Structures are given as structure tokens and as C-alpha cells.
Amino acid sequence: MDEKQERRDNILEAAALVFSEKGYHQARVEEIAVQAGIGKGTVYEYFASKLELFQEMFGTLLGRWFEELYGTEVWEGPVVEQLRRILVVHLEFINRNARLARVTFVDSYGVDQELDQWMYEQRQEKVERMEQFFCEGIQRGEFRDDLDAALLAQIFTGALASVVVPVVMEEIEIDAAATANRVLEVLMHGIAAR
Amino acid sequence: MDEKQERRDNILEAAALVFSEKGYHQARVEEIAVQAGIGKGTVYEYFASKLELFQEMFGTLLGRWFEELYGTEVWEGPVVEQLRRILVVHLEFINRNARLARVTFVDSYGVDQELDQWMYEQRQEKVERMEQFFCEGIQRGEFRDDLDAALLAQIFTGALASVVVPVVMEEIEIDAAATANRVLEVLMHGIAAR
Amino acid sequence: MDEKQERRDNILEAAALVFSEKGYHQARVEEIAVQAGIGKGTVYEYFASKLELFQEMFGTLLGRWFEELYGTEVWEGPVVEQLRRILVVHLEFINRNARLARVTFVDSYGVDQELDQWMYEQRQEKVERMEQFFCEGIQRGEFRDDLDAALLAQIFTGALASVVVPVVMEEIEIDAAATANRVLEVLMHGIAAR
Amino acid sequence: MDEKQERRDNILEAAALVFSEKGYHQARVEEIAVQAGIGKGTVYEYFASKLELFQEMFGTLLGRWFEELYGTEVWEGPVVEQLRRILVVHLEFINRNARLARVTFVDSYGVDQELDQWMYEQRQEKVERMEQFFCEGIQRGEFRDDLDAALLAQIFTGALASVVVPVVMEEIEIDAAATANRVLEVLMHGIAAR
DNA sequence: GATGAATGAGTGTTCATTCAT
DNA sequence: AATGAATGAACACTCATTCAT
């Protein structure tokens, strides 16, 4: 039983590797099998199709990531500290998994209609979770009450994604804590000279 | 001669349409030919391969966009107004070309090694142009001088991209001017309660 | 030992069911195993291959059928009554085993060279047995002596097969006795107006 | 235009050859292509799938056969002569196309649900055409009016199929005219001694 | 003996690209 | 120049068979 799960995870890991290197369309099921050290047919014992394997891999990956980032643990401190924590964890995660993170960039839209929608929904869910943080921050009086939480969530998400691009693309490591602080500083107090 | 250019543009237009709807891999050369109202073979009279056609289409498109957004025209007013203008133009452009804009989201990384690099470079160039704006803003005293222009450029770019996602994905139109103002307000004065 | 035979028959029964529903090529060994309530590997403990299983199943089935239809029991009455009896038994058998009878229709030729030949031989044997009936009928003066017994056997066999098609294909039940009488009437006294 | 038709027919001919030799499942699309002297991909320019190719081949073949056998030409003579003609044409056709005729025997049921139905319907259509002959014969007073035309059609069809089996299976040639006469004699005047 | 997880040979189908017309 | 019929390399997926447990 445990062994089945192990083998499954094994395949998912291999899939993550190959998909992130080649993108969905360039990836060959056989290469994933070889990477996992098993026969081609065995992949199909665990996943119904290449697409399902991709979705499962992607979902599992994103799920784990999410859990790590926005996990259910209660956070009692100031929201801004929560944001800082998210930024740091996020950046550290990317530092450690640059290649894996490419999956989210590589050849992912357009795979198929259904997947597109699913990925967009995943993204939206993430944004909505962020929105709640900002709502809470506004209610607690930490954040300005004349701003739209949804917009803040969008901008925060975008900023986060943007900062991460060079890490992923050039496999440059960045200083998670320092970068998080700098990004937060900008978002918290703005650009304008005072 | 002019006719050749016209035919070429014709194909590029058809390519943009089809690639943006289907993504690179799902798009069929024949469909592009049909869309352009020509024979399949003719495409190959103007472009050596599907990949070259994609690159050409993508480059031309991005070039035009860039020109419109960050064109060479001298801008004398405050940098913040320049940013506002960029935001507005950008949002309006997306409003008008949501489908076309999908190209930049759809199935673009992973097409091939070379193209990935090229697209990343395009993105970096854009970010660097933005960086110059922020540098100028800092020098002019419009922006805080304790912030890193490169980081600001990243954040701005990310925010811009992020705000645009729903427009592209759900083909919702947004109020360009209002959204621009709201984004700018956040970026300029920050989130923190005062 | 007896248990082994039971298990074997069990598999044959399952095979008959699945092969008759799907035909040889569409039938999956695993489905037969499931149908027999055993593991896939076990099938191979009793039969060397899918083909052998099919041949065994088919032969056994046809053998039993044959025995029932043209069994060795001596028949003393008029040949025409013998024919009637064969018709009735045949039709009743089909009524009861329509699905099973499909095996002989479904996807059976072309399975493999050897099997084709074997099936043809089975058919020929059946025809030859019929031929003997007609010979006897002619000798006894029941049938016209200006006809070729072999041809009569062919025609009788064909008529029998033909009448049975709708039963097998549409799983319609027919009145065995009535149909037998009507077929015999035609064959005995001909179509021509008198 | 004519050329396209020629090529198409070319493929159909090759398909008939290969399908009749191997049966549907054993036949390889590539072998058909090679047989037709073209590339594998070309087959798919003319037929959407292996199944469609088979159906088209089978339908065309049966259609031609039908046309030749029961063609629309008005027949003014006695129905019995029409039947004789059908028998003769049928037997001559089989003599000339024994291998082709195997197609209808080989591996045809069970190919797929849809095809099964279609083939059965083809058969039924044929039987129904026959039924009309017998109806007409009965109305004209040529045939007994106490018999069911539908049953006669079944029996005639079965007899026809049965007589043909050895030709197809053993590639023995038979004397079409003589056999037709003998079959008709049996069917018309019956087996019973008078 | 029984099992079912693992295997990989085998094949239908797609589609970018070519080239004779 | 323009075409589109022809091509065949490439690949996802199936399933009979094996064999370690």
C-alpha cells in the first residue's frame, strides 16, 4: 500500500522534473518512465494519461506549496508580518526549487481547455486567499481603509511573481529575507517621495 | 514588392489570431493558412517554419506594442504621469486586444530553448526600460531615494501583468483610467495605514 | 484434481460469456478473469494463451452443442421428422443461448489461420452429417432421388443459419416449433405455386 | 478530380485485399498503404480512420455487388427467372472474387459496435429486397400464397450464403449456371418425393 | 497454486514540411 | 509565385504475458 504510494510519488517526481525541463508538449511519457526508472507501461498503471499525470503532478506540487505558504495554522500577529512570512517562505521555496518552479511558467497554458481553466482557478484561489489577508489588515487598521483588498491581492501576487522570474529563469539565488523586506517596504509605504 | 509585404502581414495577422486562440502547439499551420485565405504551402514561401512564423509574429506584435507604450517620444512631464500614461495605454491596449494578448500567456515558454531565451530577454528589456523611468523619478525627487529602481521596475511590471490577467482570461473589460489610478495610488503611497 | 477441472470450466464459462459479448479481439483476458472471479495470472495457469483459451472454449462449446443436436442416439422414425427435431432443438438451443451463440458469429474468422481452418472443418463435419440424413431420406424414398444430398445439406444448413440470425442479433425469441414447421414446409414442398 | 477518385479507389482496392487476407484487426494500415504503393499518411488524406476505411471499403464493395445483383433495372419476366439471374450473377461474382468475398466472412463482426449494427443492417436490407421479390412472385401467382415472403427471403439468403462457403474458403470454382439451377430446383419444387 | 504489478512491443494517427504542377 | 497532395517521423497508449511474492 505504502509502496504503491511511493511508486506513485516516484513517478510524480520524475514527471515534475521532465515537464519542468521540457514543458508539457516536448515531454515524452517514456522519458518520464526512464527518469523514474520504470517501464513505460507502468506509468499508465498509476495515471490514466499524460494529461492526467501532468494535472496530478501540477496539483500535488501546487498543493504542497500552498500548504507550506498559506497553511491552516492560525496566525495571531500583525498581518504585515504574515505577508512578510509569506514572501520569505515563497522566496526560499523558489530558491530551493527553481527548476521545479519552472513548471508553473513552462508551457502550461494552452495544454488543454480544461487545464487552462483549472490553472486559472488555482491562481484565483491563491489571489482570493491573499485578499482575505488584506481584508483582515484593513479591518485591523493596519492597512488603509480606502483601498480595495482585491486590487491589493492582485498587486501583491503580481509583485511576488515578478520578483521571482530571474530566480527561475536564470537560476540565480536571491536573499529571501532581504528581498522580502524590500518588497514589503515598497508596498507598505509606497514609492512617492515624502 | 509591396504586395509581398501585404501578404506577409496578412499571414502574421492570421498567425497571431490562431496562436492566441490555440497556443503554439495546438495551432496548425493549415489553420493559419486558411485564416489568411491562402494555401498551406504559401506560408512556407514567407516563413521557413512554424517556429519562425511564431517568432516573427510574436516579435512584430511585441515590437508594435512596445513602440506604442514606451515609444521614443520625449516626455517632459512628471514621471508619475508617465507611469499613469503607460498604465492607461497598456490597459486600453489589453482591453482592445485581449485575445491577442493571450499570446503572451498561452503556451509560450517551452516552445523551444531559443525562443524561451528570446522571450525572457524581451521581458527584461521591458523591465529595464521601466527601471530607467524609476531612476529618473528618483533623480527628479519624485520618488523616494532609498529604493532600488530595479526592484521598483520588477514590482511595477508584475503589478501590471497581474491586473491584466482577468481581462485576458475572462475577457472582462476594465476601466483603464480608474484602474490605472488605483494601482498608482497603491504603488505611490503604499498600503500602510497612516 | 476435480477442483482443477472445476476452476478450468469456470474460466471457460467466463470466456464464453466475454468472447460472445465482445468478440475475440475486443475481449480482454483481465475481463475474463474478473468474470471468473479470479486473478489475471491464474488464467495463464490453465491456458497457455488467449488464443488457446478461445480455441478451447469454442471447441468445448461447439462439441456440447453438436452432441445435443446430432448426438449418436439412433433415430428410427422418418428422416423428415429427424430434420424437424434437429430444427426444433437447434432453434430452442439458440433461443436459450442467443448470447452464447453469438460466439459463432462474432469475430471468429480471421483470429488465426489455424483456427479458421478448424472452424471450417467443424462446419463441414456438420454439413456432412446432414448429408447422410438426406442420403438416407433419398434411399428410403422420402426425398426425391433426382437431387444431390450434398447440395441439400448445404441448403438446409444455410437456411438454418439464416433463420437464426435475428434471434442472435436482436435477441428476439422465436417460436421454435412453428418456425421449424414453416421452414420444413418450404424445403419439403417448395415455393412454386401448384 | 478523376485522379483523386482513382487514388481513392486504389486505396479501397488495397484495403479489400489486405482486410480479406488478414481480417480487420490483423490488418495494418501501413500494409494497406504499401499495397496501394503510397505512404502511410496518404491513407488518412482519403479516410479518417482505419474503421472508416473498412466501412467504406465494405460498403462500396457491397454496394457494387448489390447493384450488380439486384440493380434498379426493371425486370419484366417471371420472378423465378429473376431469382435464377440473381443466383447466377452471385455465383459468378463469387467465382471471380472469392478472395474479396472473404471480407464478409473474415473478422467482421465485433469490430466495433457501430459497424456490427451497420453490417447487420446491410444484411437486412438485402433480405428485405429479396422479400419484395417473393411478395411479387406470390402476387403474380408464381409462388404459393400460403408462405411467408419474409421467411422465403431468409431461406433463400441462407441457401445462397451456404452454397458459396466452399468457394470462398477453399477457393474452389463452381459452375454458376448449373448450381443456380440445382438450388432453384430444390427451392421451387421442394425435397419431398412426389 | 494464485496473484497482480510491471512490462514493452506494437500501431493508429497527427501534422510540419516538401515538391511537382 | 502559389498550391495542396503526399509523406513519414514521432508518440500516446493498450494489453497479452511474465514472474517475484
Side-chain angles (χ1 to χ4, degrees), chain B residues 1-51:
Chain B
M1 198 71 89
D2 234 344
E3 240 175 76
K4 286 206 71 162
Q5 192 56 44
E6 246 176 72
R7 172 68 53 105
R8 200 185 134 93
D9 289 347
N10 188 21
I11 298 172
L12 284 172
E13 212 174 313
L17 194 60
V18 175
F19 279 131
S20 68
E21 269 172 357
K22 311 278 178 120
Y24 181 79
H25 287 102
Q26 300 298 331
R28 308 283 155 238
V29 172
E30 180 153 31
E31 196 180 343
I32 293 171
V34 168
Q35 185 63 237
I38 59 174
K40 188 172 24 166
T42 309
V43 173
Y44 286 86
E45 295 290 323
Y46 292 85
F47 303 94
S49 68
K50 186 187 179 182
L51 182 57

Side-chain angles (χ1 to χ4, degrees), chain C residues 11-12 14-16 18-20 22-33 40-59 103 106-107 110-112 114-115, chain D residues 25-26 107 110:
Chain C
I11 297 172
L12 283 172
V18 175
F19 281 131
S20 69
K22 311 276 177 119
Y24 180 78
H25 288 101
Q26 299 299 329
R28 310 279 156 240
V29 171
E30 178 152 32
E31 196 180 344
I32 293 170
K40 189 173 21 167
T42 309
V43 173
Y44 286 87
E45 295 290 324
Y46 292 85
F47 302 94
S49 67
K50 185 186 178 184
L51 182 57
E52 193 189 293
L53 172 57
F54 180 79
Q55 291 176 322
E56 211 69 24
M57 173 279 286
F58 198 81
V103 180
V106 167
D107 195 15
V111 168
D112 88 331
E114 202 190 334
L115 185 59
Chain D
H25 287 102
Q26 299 299 333
D107 191 17

Side-chain angles (χ1 to χ4, degrees), chain D residues 28-194:
Chain D
R28 317 263 159 259
V29 172
E30 182 152 29
E31 194 179 346
I32 293 171
V34 168
Q35 184 61 238
I38 59 174
K40 184 173 27 165
T42 308
V43 173
Y44 287 87
E45 293 288 322
Y46 292 85
F47 304 93
S49 65
K50 184 186 179 184
L51 182 57
E52 194 188 295
L53 173 56
F54 180 79
Q55 290 177 322
E56 210 69 23
M57 175 276 285
F58 200 80
T60 302
L61 186 67
L62 237 61
R64 250 191 255 156
W65 195 349
F66 262 53
E67 232 37 63
E68 190 167 343
L69 286 177
Y70 317 98
T72 50
E73 54 169 304
V74 184
W75 179 268
E76 294 301 335
V79 172
V80 66
E81 290 312 313
Q82 170 71 314
L83 287 179
R84 191 187 318 277
R85 176 182 154 269
I86 288 175
L87 269 165
V88 170
V89 172
H90 196 113
L91 294 174
E92 279 174 350
F93 188 93
I94 298 277
N95 266 339
R96 273 181 289 117
N97 301 286
R99 190 157 283 186
L100 217 60
R102 287 202 69 176
V103 180
T104 60
F105 288 84
V106 168
D107 191 17
S108 24
Y109 277 108
V111 168
D112 90 331
Q113 213 72 351
E114 201 191 334
L115 184 59
D116 280 12
Q117 197 51 37
W118 182 85
M119 296 212 305
Y120 181 56
E121 282 163 10
Q122 296 290 346
R123 187 188 187 284
Q124 286 308 91
E125 196 190 317
K126 191 167 138 191
V127 172
E128 275 163 32
R129 286 216 207 184
M130 296 303 310
E131 198 177 327
Q132 289 174 0
F133 281 122
F134 288 102
C135 273
E136 208 178 319
I138 292 169
Q139 280 164 11
R140 290 200 197 175
E142 286 184 53
F143 300 153
R144 293 165 54 184
D145 58 6
D146 60 334
L147 296 176
D148 179 15
L151 185 72
L152 298 182
Q154 293 267 32
I155 292 174
F156 186 79
T157 305
L160 196 45
S162 204
V163 164
V164 142
V165 168
V167 183
V168 170
M169 291 304 293
E170 305 188 32
E171 305 199 39
I172 295 165
E173 201 165 325
I174 55 172
D175 182 334
T179 305
N181 286 338
R182 288 161 61 211
V183 170
L184 258 194
E185 176 57 32
V186 172
L187 290 178
M188 287 301 287
H189 303 112
I191 299 167
R194 277 167 292 191

Side-chain angles (χ1 to χ4, degrees), chain C residues 41-87:
Chain C
T42 309
V43 173
Y44 286 87
E45 295 290 324
Y46 292 85
F47 302 94
S49 67
K50 185 186 178 184
L51 182 57
E52 193 189 293
L53 172 57
F54 180 79
Q55 291 176 322
E56 211 69 24
M57 173 279 286
F58 198 81
T60 304
L61 184 67
L62 236 62
R64 250 189 256 157
W65 193 352
F66 259 55
E67 233 37 64
E68 187 166 346
L69 286 178
Y70 316 97
T72 51
E73 55 169 302
V74 185
W75 177 268
E76 293 301 337
V79 173
V80 66
E81 291 311 315
Q82 169 73 313
L83 287 181
R84 191 185 319 278
R85 175 182 154 271
I86 287 176
L87 266 167

